[in-house]
CSV table of all heavy atoms in Angstrom, one decimal:
chain,number,residue,atom,x,y,z
A,70,ASN,N,94.0,106.4,72.2
A,70,ASN,CA,93.6,105.7,71.1
A,70,ASN,C,92.1,105.5,70.8
A,70,ASN,O,91.7,104.4,70.5
A,70,ASN,CB,94.3,104.3,71.3
A,70,ASN,CG,94.4,103.6,69.9
A,70,ASN,OD1,94.7,104.1,68.9
A,70,ASN,ND2,94.2,102.3,69.8
A,71,LEU,N,91.5,106.5,71.1
A,71,LEU,CA,90.0,106.5,71.0
A,71,LEU,C,89.6,106.7,69.5
A,71,LEU,O,90.2,107.4,68.7
A,71,LEU,CB,89.3,107.5,71.8
A,71,LEU,CG,89.6,107.5,73.2
A,71,LEU,CD1,89.1,108.8,74.0
A,71,LEU,CD2,89.1,106.2,73.8
A,72,SER,N,88.4,106.1,69.2
A,72,SER,CA,87.7,106.3,67.9
A,72,SER,C,87.3,107.8,67.7
A,72,SER,O,86.9,108.4,68.8
A,72,SER,CB,86.5,105.5,67.7
A,72,SER,OG,85.8,105.8,66.7
A,73,TYR,N,87.4,108.4,66.5
A,73,TYR,CA,87.0,109.8,66.5
A,73,TYR,C,85.5,109.9,66.5
A,73,TYR,O,85.0,111.0,66.5
A,73,TYR,CB,87.6,110.4,65.2
A,73,TYR,CG,89.0,110.7,65.3
A,73,TYR,CD1,90.0,109.7,65.1
A,73,TYR,CD2,89.6,111.8,65.8
A,73,TYR,CE1,91.4,110.0,65.1
A,73,TYR,CE2,90.9,112.1,65.9
A,73,TYR,CZ,91.8,111.2,65.7
A,73,TYR,OH,93.2,111.5,65.8
A,74,ASP,N,84.9,108.7,66.5
A,74,ASP,CA,83.2,108.8,66.5
A,74,ASP,C,82.8,108.6,67.9
A,74,ASP,O,81.6,108.5,68.2
A,74,ASP,CB,82.8,107.6,65.8
A,74,ASP,CG,83.1,107.8,64.3
A,74,ASP,OD1,83.2,108.9,63.8
A,74,ASP,OD2,83.4,106.8,63.5
A,75,ILE,N,83.8,108.4,69.0
A,75,ILE,CA,83.3,108.3,70.3
A,75,ILE,C,82.5,109.4,70.9
A,75,ILE,O,82.7,110.6,70.6
A,75,ILE,CB,84.5,107.7,71.2
A,75,ILE,CG1,84.0,107.2,72.5
A,75,ILE,CG2,85.4,109.1,71.6
A,75,ILE,CD1,85.0,106.4,73.3
A,76,GLU,N,81.5,109.1,71.8
A,76,GLU,CA,80.7,110.1,72.4
A,76,GLU,C,80.6,109.9,73.8
A,76,GLU,O,80.9,108.8,74.3
A,76,GLU,CB,79.3,110.1,71.7
A,76,GLU,CG,79.3,110.4,70.3
A,76,GLU,CD,77.9,110.5,69.7
A,76,GLU,OE1,77.0,110.5,70.4
A,76,GLU,OE2,77.8,110.7,68.5
A,77,ASP,N,80.2,110.8,74.6
A,77,ASP,CA,80.0,110.6,76.1
A,77,ASP,C,79.2,109.4,76.5
A,77,ASP,O,79.6,108.6,77.5
A,77,ASP,CB,79.4,111.8,76.7
A,77,ASP,CG,80.3,113.0,76.8
A,77,ASP,OD1,81.3,113.1,76.1
A,77,ASP,OD2,79.9,114.0,77.5
A,78,ASP,N,78.1,109.1,75.6
A,78,ASP,CA,77.3,108.1,76.0
A,78,ASP,C,78.1,106.6,75.9
A,78,ASP,O,77.8,105.7,76.6
A,78,ASP,CB,76.1,107.9,75.0
A,78,ASP,CG,75.2,109.1,75.4
A,78,ASP,OD1,75.1,109.7,76.5
A,78,ASP,OD2,74.1,109.3,74.6
A,79,ASP,N,79.0,106.4,75.0
A,79,ASP,CA,79.9,105.2,74.9
A,79,ASP,C,80.7,105.0,76.1
A,79,ASP,O,80.7,103.9,76.6
A,79,ASP,CB,80.7,105.4,73.6
A,79,ASP,CG,80.0,105.6,72.3
A,79,ASP,OD1,79.0,104.9,72.1
A,79,ASP,OD2,80.4,106.6,71.5
A,80,VAL,N,81.2,106.2,76.6
A,80,VAL,CA,82.0,106.0,77.9
A,80,VAL,C,81.2,105.7,79.1
A,80,VAL,O,81.4,104.7,79.8
A,80,VAL,CB,82.8,107.5,78.0
A,80,VAL,CG1,83.6,107.2,79.4
A,80,VAL,CG2,83.7,107.6,77.0
A,81,HIS,N,79.9,106.3,79.2
A,81,HIS,CA,79.0,105.9,80.2
A,81,HIS,C,78.6,104.4,80.1
A,81,HIS,O,78.6,103.8,81.2
A,81,HIS,CB,77.7,106.9,80.2
A,81,HIS,CG,78.1,108.2,80.7
A,81,HIS,ND1,78.1,108.5,82.0
A,81,HIS,CD2,78.3,109.4,80.1
A,81,HIS,CE1,78.2,109.8,82.1
A,81,HIS,NE2,78.4,110.4,81.0
A,82,ALA,N,78.5,103.9,78.9
A,82,ALA,CA,78.0,102.6,78.8
A,82,ALA,C,79.0,101.6,79.1
A,82,ALA,O,78.9,100.6,79.8
A,82,ALA,CB,77.6,102.3,77.2
A,83,LYS,N,80.4,101.9,78.7
A,83,LYS,CA,81.5,101.2,79.2
A,83,LYS,C,81.7,101.2,80.7
A,83,LYS,O,82.0,100.1,81.3
A,83,LYS,CB,82.7,101.6,78.6
A,83,LYS,CG,82.9,101.1,77.1
A,83,LYS,CD,82.9,99.8,77.1
A,83,LYS,CE,82.9,99.0,75.6
A,83,LYS,NZ,82.9,97.6,75.5
A,84,ALA,N,81.5,102.2,81.3
A,84,ALA,CA,81.6,102.4,82.9
A,84,ALA,C,80.7,101.5,83.5
A,84,ALA,O,80.9,100.7,84.4
A,84,ALA,CB,81.4,103.7,83.3
A,85,LYS,N,79.4,101.5,83.0
A,85,LYS,CA,78.4,100.7,83.5
A,85,LYS,C,78.6,99.3,83.3
A,85,LYS,O,78.4,98.5,84.1
A,85,LYS,CB,77.0,101.1,82.9
A,85,LYS,CG,75.8,100.4,83.5
A,85,LYS,CD,74.4,100.7,82.8
A,85,LYS,CE,74.0,102.0,83.5
A,85,LYS,NZ,72.6,102.5,83.1
A,86,GLU,N,79.1,98.9,82.2
A,86,GLU,CA,79.5,97.5,81.7
A,86,GLU,C,80.5,96.8,82.8
A,86,GLU,O,80.4,95.7,83.2
A,86,GLU,CB,80.1,97.4,80.4
A,86,GLU,CG,80.2,96.1,79.7
A,86,GLU,CD,80.8,96.4,78.4
A,86,GLU,OE1,80.1,96.9,77.4
A,86,GLU,OE2,82.0,96.0,78.1
A,87,VAL,N,81.5,97.6,83.3
A,87,VAL,CA,82.4,97.1,84.3
A,87,VAL,C,82.0,97.4,85.7
A,87,VAL,O,82.9,97.1,86.6
A,87,VAL,CB,83.8,97.6,84.1
A,87,VAL,CG1,84.4,97.1,82.7
A,87,VAL,CG2,84.0,99.1,84.1
A,88,GLY,N,80.8,98.0,86.1
A,88,GLY,CA,80.4,98.2,87.4
A,88,GLY,C,80.9,99.5,88.0
A,88,GLY,O,80.9,99.6,89.2
A,89,ALA,N,81.5,100.4,87.1
A,89,ALA,CA,82.1,101.6,87.7
A,89,ALA,C,80.8,102.5,88.0
A,89,ALA,O,79.9,102.5,87.2
A,89,ALA,CB,83.0,102.3,86.7
A,90,GLY,N,80.8,103.3,89.1
A,90,GLY,CA,79.7,104.1,89.2
A,90,GLY,C,79.5,105.3,88.4
A,90,GLY,O,80.1,105.3,87.3
A,91,ASP,N,78.9,106.3,88.8
A,91,ASP,CA,78.7,107.5,88.0
A,91,ASP,C,79.9,108.1,87.6
A,91,ASP,O,80.8,108.4,88.4
A,91,ASP,CB,77.8,108.5,88.7
A,91,ASP,CG,76.3,107.9,88.9
A,91,ASP,OD1,75.9,107.1,88.2
A,91,ASP,OD2,75.6,108.3,89.8
A,92,ILE,N,80.0,108.9,86.5
A,92,ILE,CA,81.0,109.6,85.9
A,92,ILE,C,80.8,110.9,86.5
A,92,ILE,O,79.7,111.5,86.2
A,92,ILE,CB,81.2,109.5,84.5
A,92,ILE,CG1,81.7,108.0,84.0
A,92,ILE,CG2,82.1,110.5,83.9
A,92,ILE,CD1,81.6,107.7,82.6
A,93,LYS,N,81.7,111.6,86.9
A,93,LYS,CA,81.7,113.0,87.4
A,93,LYS,C,81.9,113.9,86.3
A,93,LYS,O,81.2,114.9,86.1
A,93,LYS,CB,82.7,113.3,88.4
A,93,LYS,CG,82.6,114.7,89.1
A,93,LYS,CD,83.7,114.8,90.2
A,93,LYS,CE,83.6,116.0,91.0
A,93,LYS,NZ,84.6,116.1,92.0
A,94,ASN,N,82.8,113.7,85.4
A,94,ASN,CA,83.2,114.5,84.2
A,94,ASN,C,83.9,113.9,83.2
A,94,ASN,O,84.7,113.0,83.5
A,94,ASN,CB,83.9,115.8,84.8
A,94,ASN,CG,84.2,116.8,83.8
A,94,ASN,OD1,83.3,117.2,83.0
A,94,ASN,ND2,85.3,117.4,83.8
A,95,ILE,N,83.6,114.2,81.9
A,95,ILE,CA,84.5,113.8,80.9
A,95,ILE,C,85.0,115.0,80.1
A,95,ILE,O,84.2,115.9,79.8
A,95,ILE,CB,83.6,113.0,79.7
A,95,ILE,CG1,83.1,111.7,80.5
A,95,ILE,CG2,84.4,112.6,78.5
A,95,ILE,CD1,82.1,110.9,79.6
A,96,ARG,N,86.3,115.0,79.8
A,96,ARG,CA,87.0,116.2,79.1
A,96,ARG,C,87.7,115.6,77.9
A,96,ARG,O,88.6,114.9,78.1
A,96,ARG,CB,87.8,116.9,80.1
A,96,ARG,CG,88.3,118.1,79.5
A,96,ARG,CD,89.1,119.0,80.6
A,96,ARG,NE,90.4,118.5,80.6
A,96,ARG,CZ,91.2,118.0,81.6
A,96,ARG,NH1,90.4,117.7,82.8
A,96,ARG,NH2,92.4,117.6,81.7
A,97,TRP,N,87.2,116.0,76.7
A,97,TRP,CA,87.9,115.4,75.5
A,97,TRP,C,89.0,116.5,75.1
A,97,TRP,O,88.8,117.7,75.3
A,97,TRP,CB,87.0,115.5,74.4
A,97,TRP,CG,85.8,114.5,74.6
A,97,TRP,CD1,84.5,114.8,74.7
A,97,TRP,CD2,85.9,113.0,74.8
A,97,TRP,NE1,83.8,113.7,74.9
A,97,TRP,CE2,84.5,112.7,75.0
A,97,TRP,CE3,86.9,112.1,74.9
A,97,TRP,CZ2,84.3,111.2,75.3
A,97,TRP,CZ3,86.6,110.8,75.2
A,97,TRP,CH2,85.3,110.5,75.3
A,98,LEU,N,90.2,116.1,74.8
A,98,LEU,CA,91.2,116.9,74.3
A,98,LEU,C,91.1,117.3,72.8
A,98,LEU,O,90.9,116.5,72.0
A,98,LEU,CB,92.5,116.2,74.6
A,98,LEU,CG,92.9,115.9,76.0
A,98,LEU,CD1,94.3,115.5,76.1
A,98,LEU,CD2,92.7,117.2,76.9
A,99,THR,N,91.1,118.6,72.5
A,99,THR,CA,91.0,119.1,71.2
A,99,THR,C,92.2,120.0,70.9
A,99,THR,O,93.0,120.6,71.7
A,99,THR,CB,89.7,119.9,71.1
A,99,THR,OG1,89.7,121.0,72.1
A,99,THR,CG2,88.5,119.1,71.2
A,100,ASP,N,92.5,120.1,69.6
A,100,ASP,CA,93.6,121.0,69.0
A,100,ASP,C,93.1,122.5,69.4
A,100,ASP,O,92.1,122.7,69.1
A,100,ASP,CB,93.7,120.8,67.6
A,100,ASP,CG,94.8,121.6,66.9
A,100,ASP,OD1,94.6,122.6,66.6
A,100,ASP,OD2,96.0,121.1,67.0
A,101,ARG,N,94.2,123.2,69.8
A,101,ARG,CA,93.8,124.5,70.2
A,101,ARG,C,93.5,125.5,69.0
A,101,ARG,O,92.6,126.3,69.2
A,101,ARG,CB,95.0,125.1,70.9
A,101,ARG,CG,95.3,124.8,72.2
A,101,ARG,CD,96.5,125.5,72.9
A,101,ARG,NE,96.8,124.9,74.2
A,101,ARG,CZ,97.6,125.2,75.0
A,101,ARG,NH1,98.2,126.5,74.8
A,101,ARG,NH2,97.8,124.5,76.1
A,102,GLU,N,94.2,125.1,68.0
A,102,GLU,CA,93.8,126.0,66.7
A,102,GLU,C,92.6,125.5,65.9
A,102,GLU,O,91.8,126.3,65.6
A,102,GLU,CB,95.0,126.1,65.9
A,102,GLU,CG,96.3,126.8,66.6
A,102,GLU,CD,97.5,126.9,65.8
A,102,GLU,OE1,97.3,126.7,64.5
A,102,GLU,OE2,98.5,127.2,66.3
A,103,SER,N,92.7,124.3,65.6
A,103,SER,CA,91.5,123.8,64.7
A,103,SER,C,90.3,123.4,65.5
A,103,SER,O,89.1,123.2,65.0
A,103,SER,CB,92.0,122.6,63.9
A,103,SER,OG,92.2,121.5,64.7
A,104,GLY,N,90.5,123.0,66.8
A,104,GLY,CA,89.4,122.6,67.6
A,104,GLY,C,88.9,121.1,67.4
A,104,GLY,O,88.0,120.5,67.9
A,105,GLU,N,89.8,120.4,66.5
A,105,GLU,CA,89.5,119.1,66.2
A,105,GLU,C,89.8,118.1,67.5
A,105,GLU,O,90.9,118.3,68.0
A,105,GLU,CB,90.3,118.6,65.0
A,105,GLU,CG,89.8,119.3,63.7
A,105,GLU,CD,90.7,118.7,62.5
A,105,GLU,OE1,91.0,117.5,62.4
A,105,GLU,OE2,90.7,119.5,61.5
A,106,PHE,N,89.1,117.0,67.6
A,106,PHE,CA,89.3,116.1,68.6
A,106,PHE,C,90.7,115.4,68.4
A,106,PHE,O,90.9,114.8,67.3
A,106,PHE,CB,88.2,115.1,68.6
A,106,PHE,CG,88.2,113.9,69.5
A,106,PHE,CD1,88.6,114.1,70.9
A,106,PHE,CD2,88.1,112.6,69.1
A,106,PHE,CE1,88.6,113.0,71.8
A,106,PHE,CE2,88.2,111.6,69.9
A,106,PHE,CZ,88.4,111.8,71.3
A,107,LYS,N,91.5,115.2,69.4
A,107,LYS,CA,92.8,114.5,69.3
A,107,LYS,C,92.7,113.1,69.6
A,107,LYS,O,93.8,112.4,69.6
A,107,LYS,CB,93.6,115.2,70.4
A,107,LYS,CG,94.1,116.5,69.9
A,107,LYS,CD,95.2,116.9,71.0
A,107,LYS,CE,95.9,118.3,70.5
A,107,LYS,NZ,97.0,118.5,71.3
A,108,GLY,N,91.6,112.5,69.9
A,108,GLY,CA,91.6,111.0,70.1
A,108,GLY,C,91.8,110.5,71.5
A,108,GLY,O,92.1,109.3,71.7
A,109,CYS,N,91.8,111.5,72.4
A,109,CYS,CA,92.0,111.1,73.7
A,109,CYS,C,91.3,112.1,74.8
A,109,CYS,O,90.7,113.1,74.3
A,109,CYS,CB,93.5,111.1,74.1
A,109,CYS,SG,94.4,112.7,73.9
Side-chain angles (χ1 to χ4, degrees):
N70 197 40
L71 300 173
S72 166
Y73 287 90
D74 297 327
I75 197 159
E76 297 182 9
D77 288 11
D78 290 343
D79 300 317
V80 177
H81 284 279
K83 282 295 178 184
K85 186 176 276 188
E86 194 177 289
V87 295
D91 291 334
I92 291 173
K93 186 175 184 180
N94 185 38
I95 298 174
R96 193 173 83 246
W97 303 119
L98 298 185
T99 55
D100 183 270
R101 287 183 191 192
E102 293 178 17
S103 70
E105 289 184 31
F106 175 53
K107 287 187 167 186
C109 57

